[in-house]
Amino acid sequence: AASAPRRHFFSPPGAGHAAAGGPQPVMPTSKRTLPFNWGVRIVPQQSAWVIERFGKFQRILEPGLHFLIPFVDRIAYVHSLKEEAFPIPNQQAITKDNVTIA
């Protein structure tokens, strides 16, 4: 039993191996699941949770203990407050007296 061919994330649903002339990479699905509302939630440090009530923005939960209404309040988004470092390439500059600084 042959499995269905994998398709690329941006390819149309009918496109597979033969349509593009060879195998295509499949984009990983890294969708994080949101925490479920059990009524009492502890928000960890360095994160903030967006709460919706009946689909409308209600409030933002800061780190700590919080009480929610099950099936009415929904955790819509979990935002990380951690610092993110990204590399910056070296830059060169030329001063007024024509000296190069790297």
Side-chain angles (χ1 to χ4, degrees):
S3 63
R6 297 179 143 199
R7 65 182 183 88
H8 190 266
F9 181 74
F10 295 109
S11 64
H17 289 279
Q24 297 177 354
V26 175
M27 300 295 286
T29 57
S30 62
K31 185 173 183 173
R32 299 173 63 192
T33 59
L34 296 173
F36 188 73
N37 176 9
W38 291 106
V40 178
R41 294 302 307 201
I42 298 174
V43 179
Q45 287 192 1
Q46 296 184 342
S47 67
W49 294 2
V50 176
I51 302 298
E52 290 181 350
R53 180 167 288 172
F54 296 116
K56 186 177 177 182
F57 173 79
Q58 176 67 21
R59 64 181 185 247
I60 295 177
L61 299 183
E62 299 294 329
L65 179 67
H66 298 278
F67 299 98
L68 302 172
I69 302 171
F71 305 107
V72 174
D73 291 338
R74 182 176 79 92
I75 301 168
Y77 183 72
V78 176
H79 182 71
S80 175
L81 301 175
K82 295 180 181 176
E83 293 181 3
E84 294 183 24
F86 55 93
I88 298 175
N90 291 337
Q91 299 178 1
Q92 290 186 348
I94 299 176
T95 61
K96 285 184 182 180
D97 55 352
N98 205 17
V99 176
T100 304
I101 300 174

Coordinates of all heavy atoms in Angstrom, one line a residue:
A1 N 0.8 -1.2 0.0 CA 0.0 0.0 0.0 C 0.9 1.2 0.0 O 1.6 1.5 0.9 CB -0.9 0.0 1.2
A2 N 0.9 2.0 -1.1 CA 1.7 3.2 -1.2 C 1.0 4.3 -0.5 O -0.2 4.5 -0.6 CB 1.9 3.5 -2.7
S3 N 1.7 5.1 0.2 CA 1.2 6.3 0.9 C 1.0 7.4 -0.1 O 1.6 7.5 -1.1 CB 2.0 6.7 2.1 OG 3.3 7.1 1.6
A4 N 0.2 8.4 0.3 CA -0.1 9.5 -0.6 C 1.2 10.4 -0.7 O 1.9 10.5 0.3 CB -1.2 10.4 0.0
P5 N 1.5 10.9 -1.8 CA 2.7 11.7 -1.9 C 2.7 13.0 -1.1 O 1.6 13.6 -1.0 CB 2.8 12.1 -3.4 CG 1.4 12.0 -3.9 CD 0.8 10.9 -3.1
R6 N 3.8 13.3 -0.5 CA 3.8 14.6 0.3 C 3.9 15.7 -0.7 O 4.5 15.7 -1.7 CB 5.1 14.6 1.2 CG 5.0 13.5 2.2 CD 6.2 13.5 3.0 NE 5.8 13.1 4.4 CZ 6.6 13.4 5.5 NH1 7.7 14.0 5.3 NH2 6.2 13.1 6.6
R7 N 3.3 16.9 -0.2 CA 3.4 18.0 -1.1 C 4.0 19.2 -0.3 O 4.1 19.2 0.9 CB 2.0 18.4 -1.6 CG 1.0 18.9 -0.5 CD -0.3 19.2 -1.1 NE -1.2 19.7 0.0 CZ -1.4 20.9 0.3 NH1 -0.7 21.8 -0.3 NH2 -2.2 21.3 1.3
H8 N 4.5 20.2 -1.1 CA 5.2 21.3 -0.5 C 4.1 22.2 0.1 O 3.0 22.2 -0.3 CB 5.9 22.1 -1.6 CG 6.8 23.1 -1.1 ND1 6.4 24.4 -1.0 CD2 8.1 23.1 -0.6 CE1 7.4 25.2 -0.5 NE2 8.4 24.4 -0.3
F9 N 4.5 23.0 1.1 CA 3.6 23.9 1.9 C 2.9 24.8 1.0 O 1.8 25.1 1.1 CB 4.4 24.6 2.9 CG 3.6 25.5 3.8 CD1 2.8 25.0 4.7 CD2 3.7 26.9 3.6 CE1 2.0 25.9 5.5 CE2 2.9 27.7 4.3 CZ 2.1 27.2 5.3
F10 N 3.6 25.4 -0.1 CA 3.1 26.4 -0.9 C 2.5 25.8 -2.2 O 2.0 26.6 -3.0 CB 4.1 27.5 -1.3 CG 4.6 28.2 -0.1 CD1 5.9 28.0 0.4 CD2 3.8 29.1 0.6 CE1 6.3 28.7 1.5 CE2 4.2 29.8 1.7 CZ 5.5 29.6 2.1
S11 N 2.5 24.5 -2.4 CA 2.0 24.0 -3.6 C 0.5 23.8 -3.5 O 0.0 23.6 -2.4 CB 2.7 22.6 -4.0 OG 2.4 21.7 -3.0
P12 N -0.3 23.8 -4.6 CA -1.7 23.6 -4.5 C -2.0 22.1 -4.1 O -1.2 21.3 -4.2 CB -2.2 23.9 -6.0 CG -1.0 23.8 -6.8 CD 0.2 24.1 -5.9
P13 N -3.2 21.9 -3.6 CA -3.5 20.6 -3.1 C -3.3 19.4 -4.0 O -3.0 18.3 -3.7 CB -5.0 20.7 -2.7 CG -5.2 22.1 -2.5 CD -4.3 22.8 -3.4
G14 N -3.5 19.6 -5.3 CA -3.4 18.6 -6.3 C -2.0 18.3 -6.7 O -1.7 17.3 -7.3
A15 N -1.0 19.1 -6.4 CA 0.3 19.0 -6.8 C 1.1 18.0 -5.9 O 0.9 18.0 -4.7 CB 1.1 20.3 -6.7
G16 N 1.9 17.1 -6.5 CA 2.6 16.1 -5.7 C 4.0 16.0 -6.3 O 4.6 16.9 -6.9
H17 N 4.5 14.7 -6.3 CA 5.8 14.5 -6.9 C 5.8 14.7 -8.4 O 6.7 15.3 -8.9 CB 6.2 13.0 -6.6 CG 6.5 12.8 -5.1 ND1 7.7 13.2 -4.6 CD2 5.8 12.3 -4.1 CE1 7.7 12.9 -3.3 NE2 6.5 12.4 -3.0
A18 N 4.9 14.2 -9.1 CA 4.9 14.2 -10.6 C 4.6 15.6 -11.1 O 5.2 15.9 -12.1 CB 3.9 13.2 -11.1
A19 N 3.8 16.4 -10.4 CA 3.4 17.7 -11.0 C 4.6 18.6 -11.0 O 4.7 19.4 -11.9 CB 2.4 18.3 -10.1
A20 N 5.6 18.5 -10.1 CA 6.7 19.4 -10.1 C 8.0 18.8 -10.7 O 9.0 19.4 -10.7 CB 7.0 19.8 -8.6
G21 N 7.9 17.5 -11.1 CA 9.0 16.9 -11.7 C 10.0 16.3 -10.7 O 11.1 16.0 -11.1
G22 N 9.6 16.1 -9.5 CA 10.5 15.4 -8.5 C 9.9 15.6 -7.1 O 8.9 16.3 -6.9
P23 N 10.6 15.0 -6.2 CA 10.2 15.2 -4.8 C 10.3 16.6 -4.3 O 11.2 17.4 -4.7 CB 11.1 14.3 -4.0 CG 12.2 13.8 -4.9 CD 11.8 14.2 -6.3
Q24 N 9.3 17.0 -3.5 CA 9.3 18.4 -3.0 C 9.4 18.3 -1.5 O 8.8 17.4 -0.8 CB 8.0 19.1 -3.4 CG 7.9 19.3 -4.8 CD 6.6 19.9 -5.2 OE1 5.7 20.1 -4.3 NE2 6.4 20.2 -6.4
P25 N 10.1 19.3 -0.8 CA 10.2 19.2 0.6 C 8.9 19.6 1.3 O 8.1 20.3 0.7 CB 11.3 20.3 1.0 CG 11.2 21.2 -0.2 CD 10.9 20.3 -1.4
V26 N 8.6 19.1 2.4 CA 7.4 19.4 3.2 C 7.8 20.3 4.4 O 8.7 19.9 5.1 CB 6.8 18.1 3.7 CG1 5.6 18.4 4.6 CG2 6.4 17.2 2.5
M27 N 7.1 21.4 4.5 CA 7.4 22.3 5.6 C 6.9 21.7 6.9 O 5.7 21.2 6.9 CB 6.7 23.6 5.3 CG 7.1 24.3 4.0 SD 8.8 24.8 4.1 CE 8.7 26.2 5.2
P28 N 7.6 21.7 7.9 CA 7.2 21.2 9.2 C 6.1 22.0 9.8 O 6.1 23.3 9.7 CB 8.4 21.2 10.1 CG 9.3 22.3 9.5 CD 9.0 22.3 8.0
T29 N 5.1 21.4 10.4 CA 4.0 22.1 11.1 C 4.3 22.2 12.5 O 4.2 21.2 13.2 CB 2.7 21.4 10.8 OG1 2.8 20.1 11.3 CG2 2.3 21.4 9.4
S30 N 4.8 23.3 13.0 CA 5.1 23.5 14.4 C 4.1 24.4 15.1 O 4.5 25.4 15.7 CB 6.5 24.1 14.5 OG 6.5 25.4 13.9
K31 N 2.9 24.1 14.9 CA 1.8 24.9 15.6 C 1.8 24.5 17.0 O 1.5 23.3 17.3 CB 0.5 24.7 14.9 CG -0.6 25.5 15.4 CD -1.8 25.4 14.6 CE -2.9 26.4 15.2 NZ -4.1 26.5 14.4
R32 N 2.0 25.4 17.9 CA 1.9 25.1 19.3 C 0.5 25.2 19.8 O -0.3 26.0 19.4 CB 2.8 26.2 20.1 CG 4.2 26.2 19.7 CD 5.0 27.3 20.3 NE 5.0 27.2 21.7 CZ 5.3 28.1 22.6 NH1 5.7 29.3 22.1 NH2 5.3 27.9 23.9
T33 N 0.1 24.2 20.6 CA -1.2 24.2 21.2 C -1.3 25.2 22.3 O -0.4 25.3 23.1 CB -1.6 22.8 21.6 OG1 -0.6 22.4 22.6 CG2 -1.5 21.8 20.5
L34 N -2.4 25.8 22.4 CA -2.7 26.8 23.5 C -3.1 26.0 24.7 O -3.8 25.0 24.6 CB -3.7 27.8 23.1 CG -3.4 28.7 21.9 CD1 -4.6 29.5 21.4 CD2 -2.2 29.6 22.3
P35 N -2.8 26.6 25.9 CA -3.3 25.9 27.1 C -4.8 26.0 27.2 O -5.4 26.9 26.8 CB -2.6 26.8 28.3 CG -1.7 27.7 27.6 CD -2.0 27.7 26.2
F36 N -5.4 24.9 27.8 CA -6.8 24.8 28.0 C -7.2 25.6 29.3 O -6.5 25.6 30.2 CB -7.3 23.4 28.0 CG -8.7 23.2 28.0 CD1 -9.4 23.4 26.8 CD2 -9.4 22.9 29.1 CE1 -10.8 23.3 26.8 CE2 -10.8 22.7 29.1 CZ -11.5 22.9 27.9
N37 N -8.4 26.1 29.2 CA -8.9 26.9 30.4 C -9.6 25.9 31.3 O -10.7 25.5 31.0 CB -9.8 28.0 29.9 CG -10.5 28.7 31.0 OD1 -10.1 28.6 32.2 ND2 -11.4 29.6 30.7
W38 N -9.0 25.6 32.5 CA -9.6 24.8 33.5 C -10.2 25.6 34.6 O -10.6 25.1 35.6 CB -8.6 23.8 34.1 CG -8.2 22.8 33.1 CD1 -7.0 22.7 32.5 CD2 -8.9 21.7 32.6 NE1 -7.0 21.6 31.6 CE2 -8.2 21.0 31.7 CE3 -10.2 21.2 32.9 CZ2 -8.6 19.8 31.1 CZ3 -10.7 20.1 32.3 CH2 -9.9 19.4 31.4
G39 N -10.2 26.9 34.5 CA -10.7 27.8 35.6 C -9.7 28.5 36.4 O -9.7 29.7 36.6
V40 N -8.6 27.7 36.8 CA -7.5 28.3 37.5 C -6.3 28.1 36.7 O -6.0 26.9 36.3 CB -7.4 27.7 38.9 CG1 -6.2 28.2 39.6 CG2 -8.6 27.8 39.7
R41 N -5.6 29.1 36.4 CA -4.3 29.0 35.6 C -3.2 29.8 36.2 O -3.4 30.8 36.8 CB -4.5 29.6 34.1 CG -5.5 28.8 33.3 CD -5.2 27.4 33.1 NE -3.8 27.2 32.6 CZ -3.4 26.1 32.0 NH1 -4.2 25.1 31.8 NH2 -2.1 26.0 31.6
I42 N -2.0 29.2 36.1 CA -0.8 29.8 36.6 C 0.0 30.2 35.3 O 0.4 29.4 34.6 CB 0.0 28.9 37.5 CG1 -0.8 28.6 38.7 CG2 1.3 29.6 37.9 CD1 -0.1 27.6 39.6
V43 N 0.2 31.5 35.1 CA 0.9 32.0 34.0 C 2.4 32.0 34.4 O 2.7 32.6 35.4 CB 0.5 33.4 33.6 CG1 1.3 33.9 32.4 CG2 -1.0 33.4 33.2
P44 N 3.3 31.3 33.6 CA 4.7 31.3 34.0 C 5.3 32.7 33.8 O 4.8 33.5 33.0 CB 5.3 30.3 33.1 CG 4.3 30.1 32.0 CD 3.0 30.5 32.5
Q45 N 6.5 32.9 34.5 CA 7.2 34.1 34.3 C 7.7 34.2 32.8 O 7.9 33.3 32.1 CB 8.4 34.2 35.2 CG 8.0 34.4 36.7 CD 9.2 34.7 37.5 OE1 10.3 34.8 37.1 NE2 8.9 35.0 38.8
Q46 N 7.9 35.5 32.4 CA 8.4 35.8 31.1 C 7.4 35.4 30.0 O 7.8 35.0 28.9 CB 9.8 35.3 30.8 CG 10.8 35.8 31.7 CD 12.2 35.3 31.4 OE1 12.4 34.3 30.7 NE2 13.2 36.0 31.8
S47 N 6.1 35.4 30.3 CA 5.1 35.2 29.3 C 3.9 36.0 29.7 O 3.7 36.4 30.8 CB 4.8 33.7 29.2 OG 4.1 33.3 30.4
A48 N 3.1 36.3 28.7 CA 1.8 37.0 28.9 C 0.8 36.3 28.0 O 1.0 35.9 26.9 CB 1.9 38.5 28.4
W49 N -0.4 36.1 28.6 CA -1.5 35.4 27.9 C -2.6 36.4 27.5 O -3.1 37.1 28.4 CB -2.0 34.2 28.7 CG -1.1 33.1 29.0 CD1 0.2 33.1 28.6 CD2 -1.3 31.9 29.7 NE1 0.8 31.9 29.0 CE2 -0.1 31.2 29.7 CE3 -2.4 31.4 30.3 CZ2 0.0 30.0 30.3 CZ3 -2.3 30.2 31.0 CH2 -1.1 29.5 30.9
V50 N -3.1 36.3 26.3 CA -4.2 37.1 25.9 C -5.5 36.3 26.1 O -5.6 35.2 25.6 CB -4.1 37.5 24.4 CG1 -5.3 38.3 23.9 CG2 -2.8 38.3 24.2
I51 N -6.5 36.9 26.8 CA -7.7 36.2 27.1 C -8.9 36.9 26.3 O -9.0 38.1 26.2 CB -8.1 36.3 28.6 CG1 -6.9 35.7 29.4 CG2 -9.4 35.7 28.9 CD1 -6.7 34.2 29.2
E52 N -9.7 36.0 25.7 CA -10.9 36.5 25.0 C -12.1 35.9 25.7 O -12.1 34.8 26.2 CB -10.9 35.9 23.5 CG -9.9 36.6 22.6 CD -9.9 36.0 21.2 OE1 -10.7 35.0 21.0 OE2 -9.3 36.6 20.3
R53 N -13.1 36.8 25.8 CA -14.4 36.3 26.3 C -15.4 36.4 25.2 O -15.7 37.4 24.7 CB -14.8 37.2 27.5 CG -16.1 36.8 28.1 CD -16.3 37.5 29.4 NE -15.4 36.9 30.4 CZ -15.3 37.4 31.7 NH1 -16.0 38.5 32.0 NH2 -14.5 36.8 32.5
F54 N -15.9 35.2 24.9 CA -16.9 35.1 23.8 C -16.3 35.6 22.5 O -17.0 36.2 21.6 CB -18.2 35.8 24.0 CG -19.0 35.2 25.2 CD1 -19.2 35.9 26.3 CD2 -19.4 33.9 25.1 CE1 -19.9 35.4 27.4 CE2 -20.1 33.3 26.2 CZ -20.4 34.1 27.3
G55 N -15.0 35.4 22.3 CA -14.3 35.8 21.0 C -13.9 37.3 21.0 O -13.3 37.7 20.0
K56 N -14.1 38.1 22.0 CA -13.7 39.5 22.1 C -12.6 39.6 23.1 O -12.7 39.0 24.2 CB -14.9 40.3 22.4 CG -14.7 41.8 22.4 CD -16.0 42.6 22.7 CE -15.7 44.0 22.7 NZ -16.9 44.8 23.0
F57 N -11.7 40.5 22.9 CA -10.5 40.7 23.8 C -11.1 41.1 25.2 O -11.9 42.0 25.3 CB -9.6 41.8 23.3 CG -8.6 42.2 24.2 CD1 -7.4 41.4 24.4 CD2 -8.7 43.4 25.0 CE1 -6.4 41.8 25.3 CE2 -7.7 43.7 25.9 CZ -6.6 42.9 26.0
Q58 N -10.6 40.4 26.2 CA -11.0 40.7 27.5 C -9.8 41.3 28.3 O -10.0 42.4 28.9 CB -11.4 39.4 28.2 CG -11.8 39.5 29.7 CD -13.0 40.3 29.9 OE1 -13.8 40.5 29.1 NE2 -13.2 40.9 31.1
R59 N -8.7 40.7 28.4 CA -7.5 41.2 29.2 C -6.3 40.4 28.8 O -6.3 39.4 28.1 CB -7.8 41.1 30.7 CG -8.0 39.7 31.2 CD -8.3 39.7 32.7 NE -8.3 38.4 33.2 CZ -9.4 37.7 33.6 NH1 -10.6 38.4 33.6 NH2 -9.3 36.5 34.1
I60 N -5.2 40.9 29.4 CA -3.9 40.2 29.3 C -3.5 39.7 30.7 O -3.5 40.5 31.6 CB -2.8 41.2 28.7 CG1 -3.2 41.5 27.3 CG2 -1.4 40.5 28.8 CD1 -2.2 42.5 26.7
L61 N -3.2 38.4 30.8 CA -2.8 37.9 32.0 C -1.3 38.0 32.2 O -0.5 37.5 31.4 CB -3.2 36.4 32.1 CG -4.6 36.1 32.0 CD1 -4.8 34.6 32.2 CD2 -5.4 36.8 33.1
E62 N -0.9 38.6 33.3 CA 0.6 38.8 33.6 C 1.0 37.5 34.4 O 0.1 36.7 34.8 CB 0.8 40.0 34.5 CG 0.4 41.3 33.8 CD 1.3 41.6 32.6 OE1 2.5 41.3 32.6 OE2 0.8 42.3 31.6
P63 N 2.2 37.3 34.6 CA 2.7 36.1 35.4 C 2.0 36.0 36.7 O 1.9 37.0 37.4 CB 4.2 36.2 35.4 CG 4.5 37.0 34.3 CD 3.4 38.0 34.1
G64 N 1.6 34.8 37.1 CA 1.0 34.7 38.5 C -0.3 33.8 38.4 O -0.6 33.1 37.4
L65 N -1.0 33.8 39.4 CA -2.3 33.0 39.6 C -3.5 33.7 39.1 O -3.7 34.9 39.5 CB -2.5 32.5 41.0 CG -3.7 31.7 41.4 CD1 -3.5 30.3 40.7 CD2 -3.8 31.6 42.9
H66 N -4.3 33.1 38.2 CA -5.5 33.8 37.7 C -6.6 32.8 37.7 O -6.5 31.6 37.5 CB -5.2 34.3 36.2 CG -4.1 35.3 36.2 ND1 -4.3 36.6 36.4 CD2 -2.8 35.1 35.9 CE1 -3.1 37.3 36.3 NE2 -2.2 36.4 36.0
F67 N -7.8 33.4 37.8 CA -9.1 32.6 37.7 C -9.8 33.0 36.5 O -10.1 34.2 36.2 CB -9.9 32.9 39.0 CG -9.2 32.5 40.3 CD1 -8.5 33.5 41.0 CD2 -9.2 31.2 40.7 CE1 -7.9 33.1 42.2 CE2 -8.5 30.9 41.8 CZ -7.9 31.8 42.6
L68 N -10.2 32.0 35.7 CA -11.0 32.2 34.5 C -12.3 31.5 34.5 O -12.5 30.6 35.3 CB -10.1 31.7 33.3 CG -8.8 32.3 33.1 CD1 -8.0 31.6 32.0 CD2 -8.9 33.8 32.8
I69 N -13.2 31.9 33.7 CA -14.5 31.2 33.6 C -14.4 30.2 32.5 O -14.2 30.5 31.3 CB -15.6 32.2 33.3 CG1 -15.7 33.3 34.3 CG2 -17.0 31.5 33.2 CD1 -16.6 34.4 34.0
P70 N -14.5 28.9 32.8 CA -14.4 27.8 31.7 C -15.5 28.0 30.7 O -16.6 28.4 31.0 CB -14.6 26.5 32.5 CG -14.2 26.9 33.9 CD -14.6 28.3 34.1
F71 N -15.2 27.7 29.4 CA -16.0 27.7 28.3 C -16.5 29.1 27.9 O -17.1 29.3 26.9 CB -17.3 26.8 28.4 CG -16.9 25.4 28.8 CD1 -17.1 24.9 30.0 CD2 -16.4 24.6 27.8 CE1 -16.8 23.6 30.3 CE2 -16.0 23.3 28.1 CZ -16.2 22.8 29.3
V72 N -16.2 30.2 28.7 CA -16.5 31.5 28.4 C -15.3 32.3 28.0 O -15.2 32.9 27.0 CB -17.2 32.2 29.6 CG1 -17.5 33.7 29.3 CG2 -18.6 31.5 29.9
D73 N -14.2 32.2 28.9 CA -12.9 32.8 28.6 C -12.1 31.8 27.8 O -12.1 30.6 28.1 CB -12.2 33.2 29.9 CG -12.9 34.3 30.6 OD1 -13.7 35.0 30.0 OD2 -12.7 34.4 31.9
R74 N -11.3 32.3 26.9 CA -10.5 31.5 26.0 C -9.1 32.1 26.0 O -9.0 33.3 25.8 CB -11.1 31.4 24.6 CG -10.3 30.5 23.7 CD -11.0 30.4 22.3 NE -10.7 31.6 21.5 CZ -9.7 31.7 20.6 NH1 -8.9 30.7 20.5 NH2 -9.6 32.8 20.0
I75 N -8.1 31.2 26.1 CA -6.7 31.7 26.0 C -6.4 31.8 24.5 O -6.3 30.8 23.8 CB -5.7 30.8 26.7 CG1 -6.1 30.7 28.2 CG2 -4.3 31.2 26.5 CD1 -5.4 29.6 28.9
A76 N -6.3 33.0 23.9 CA -6.3 33.2 22.5 C -4.8 33.2 22.0 O -4.5 32.8 20.9 CB -6.9 34.5 22.1
Y77 N -3.9 33.7 22.9 CA -2.5 33.8 22.4 C -1.6 33.7 23.6 O -1.9 34.3 24.6 CB -2.3 35.1 21.6 CG -0.9 35.3 21.1 CD1 -0.5 34.6 20.0 CD2 -0.1 36.2 21.6 CE1 0.8 34.7 19.4 CE2 1.2 36.4 21.1 CZ 1.6 35.7 20.0 OH 2.9 35.8 19.5
V78 N -0.4 33.1 23.5 CA 0.6 33.1 24.5 C 1.8 33.8 23.9 O 2.4 33.4 22.9 CB 1.0 31.6 24.9 CG1 2.1 31.6 25.8 CG2 -0.2 30.9 25.4
H79 N 2.2 34.9 24.6 CA 3.2 35.8 24.1 C 4.5 35.6 25.0 O 4.3 35.7 26.2 CB 2.8 37.2 24.0 CG 3.9 38.1 23.5 ND1 4.2 38.2 22.2 CD2 4.7 39.1 24.1 CE1 5.2 39.1 22.0 NE2 5.5 39.6 23.2
S80 N 5.6 35.3 24.4 CA 6.8 35.2 25.2 C 7.5 36.6 25.4 O 7.6 37.3 24.4 CB 7.8 34.3 24.5 OG 9.0 34.2 25.1
L81 N 7.9 36.9 26.6 CA 8.5 38.2 26.9 C 10.0 38.0 27.0 O 10.7 38.9 27.5 CB 7.9 38.7 28.2 CG 6.4 39.0 28.2 CD1 6.0 39.4 29.6 CD2 6.0 40.0 27.2
K82 N 10.5 36.9 26.6 CA 12.0 36.6 26.7 C 12.7 37.5 25.7 O 12.2 37.7 24.6 CB 12.3 35.2 26.5 CG 11.7 34.3 27.5 CD 12.1 32.8 27.3 CE 11.5 31.9 28.3 NZ 11.7 30.5 28.0
E83 N 13.9 37.9 26.0 CA 14.7 38.6 25.1 C 15.2 37.7 24.0 O 15.6 36.5 24.3 CB 15.9 39.2 25.8 CG 15.6 40.3 26.8 CD 16.8 40.9 27.4 OE1 18.0 40.5 27.0 OE2 16.7 41.7 28.3
E84 N 15.2 38.2 22.8 CA 15.6 37.4 21.6 C 16.9 38.1 21.0 O 16.8 39.2 20.6 CB 14.6 37.2 20.6 CG 13.4 36.4 21.1 CD 12.3 36.3 20.0 OE1 12.7 36.3 18.8 OE2 11.2 36.1 20.3
A85 N 18.0 37.4 21.1 CA 19.2 37.9 20.5 C 19.3 37.5 19.0 O 19.1 36.3 18.7 CB 20.4 37.4 21.3
F86 N 19.7 38.4 18.2 CA 19.9 38.0 16.8 C 21.2 38.6 16.4 O 21.6 39.7 16.8 CB 18.7 38.5 15.9 CG 18.4 39.9 15.9 CD1 19.0 40.8 15.1 CD2 17.5 40.4 16.9 CE1 18.7 42.2 15.1 CE2 17.2 41.7 16.9 CZ 17.8 42.6 16.1
P87 N 21.9 37.9 15.5 CA 23.3 38.3 15.1 C 23.2 39.6 14.2 O 22.4 39.7 13.3 CB 23.8 37.1 14.4 CG 22.7 36.4 13.9 CD 21.6 36.6 14.9
I88 N 24.1 40.5 14.5 CA 24.3 41.7 13.7 C 25.7 41.6 13.0 O 26.7 41.5 13.7 CB 24.1 43.0 14.5 CG1 22.8 43.0 15.1 CG2 24.4 44.2 13.6 CD1 22.5 44.2 16.0
P89 N 25.8 41.7 11.7 CA 27.1 41.6 11.1 C 27.9 42.8 11.4 O 27.4 43.9 11.7 CB 26.8 41.5 9.6 CG 25.4 42.1 9.4 CD 24.7 41.8 10.7
N90 N 29.2 42.6 11.3 CA 30.2 43.7 11.6 C 29.9 44.8 10.6 O 29.6 44.6 9.4 CB 31.6 43.2 11.6 CG 31.9 42.3 12.7 OD1 31.3 42.4 13.7 ND2 33.0 41.5 12.5
Q91 N 30.1 46.1 11.0 CA 29.9 47.2 10.2 C 31.2 48.0 10.1 O 31.9 48.1 11.1 CB 28.8 48.1 10.7 CG 27.5 47.3 10.7 CD 26.4 48.2 11.3 OE1 26.6 49.4 11.6 NE2 25.2 47.7 11.4
Q92 N 31.5 48.6 9.0 CA 32.6 49.5 8.8 C 32.1 50.9 8.7 O 31.1 51.2 8.2 CB 33.4 49.1 7.6 CG 34.2 47.8 7.7 CD 35.1 47.6 6.5 OE1 35.0 48.3 5.6 NE2 36.0 46.6 6.7
A93 N 33.0 51.8 9.3 CA 32.6 53.2 9.2 C 33.9 54.0 8.9 O 35.0 53.6 9.3 CB 32.0 53.7 10.5
I94 N 33.8 55.1 8.2 CA 34.9 56.0 7.9 C 34.7 57.3 8.6 O 33.6 58.0 8.5 CB 35.0 56.2 6.4 CG1 35.3 54.9 5.7 CG2 36.2 57.2 6.1 CD1 35.3 55.0 4.2
T95 N 35.6 57.7 9.4 CA 35.5 59.0 10.2 C 35.8 60.2 9.4 O 36.2 60.1 8.2 CB 36.5 58.9 11.4 OG1 37.8 58.8 11.0 CG2 36.1 57.7 12.3
K96 N 35.7 61.4 9.9 CA 36.0 62.6 9.2 C 37.4 62.7 8.8 O 37.7 63.3 7.7 CB 35.7 63.8 10.1 CG 34.2 64.1 10.3 CD 34.0 65.4 11.1 CE 32.6 65.7 11.3 NZ 32.4 66.9 12.1
D97 N 38.4 62.1 9.6 CA 39.8 62.2 9.2 C 40.2 61.0 8.3 O 41.3 60.7 8.3 CB 40.7 62.3 10.4 CG 40.4 61.3 11.4 OD1 39.4 60.5 11.3 OD2 41.2 61.2 12.4
N98 N 39.2 60.3 7.7 CA 39.4 59.3 6.7 C 40.1 58.0 7.4 O 41.0 57.4 6.8 CB 40.3 59.7 5.5 CG 40.0 58.9 4.3 OD1 39.0 58.2 4.3 ND2 40.9 59.0 3.3
V99 N 39.7 57.7 8.6 CA 40.2 56.5 9.3 C 39.0 55.4 9.2 O 37.9 55.8 9.6 CB 40.6 56.8 10.7 CG1 41.0 55.5 11.5 CG2 41.7 57.8 10.8
T100 N 39.4 54.2 8.8 CA 38.4 53.1 8.8 C 38.3 52.5 10.1 O 39.3 52.1 10.7 CB 38.8 52.1 7.7 OG1 38.9 52.8 6.4 CG2 37.7 51.0 7.6
I101 N 37.1 52.3 10.6 CA 36.8 51.6 11.9 C 36.0 50.4 11.5 O 35.0 50.5 10.8 CB 36.0 52.5 12.8 CG1 36.8 53.8 13.1 CG2 35.7 51.8 14.1 CD1 36.0 54.8 14.0
A102 N 36.5 49.2 12.0 CA 35.8 48.0 11.7 C 35.0 47.5 12.9 O 35.2 47.7 14.0 CB 36.7 46.9 11.3

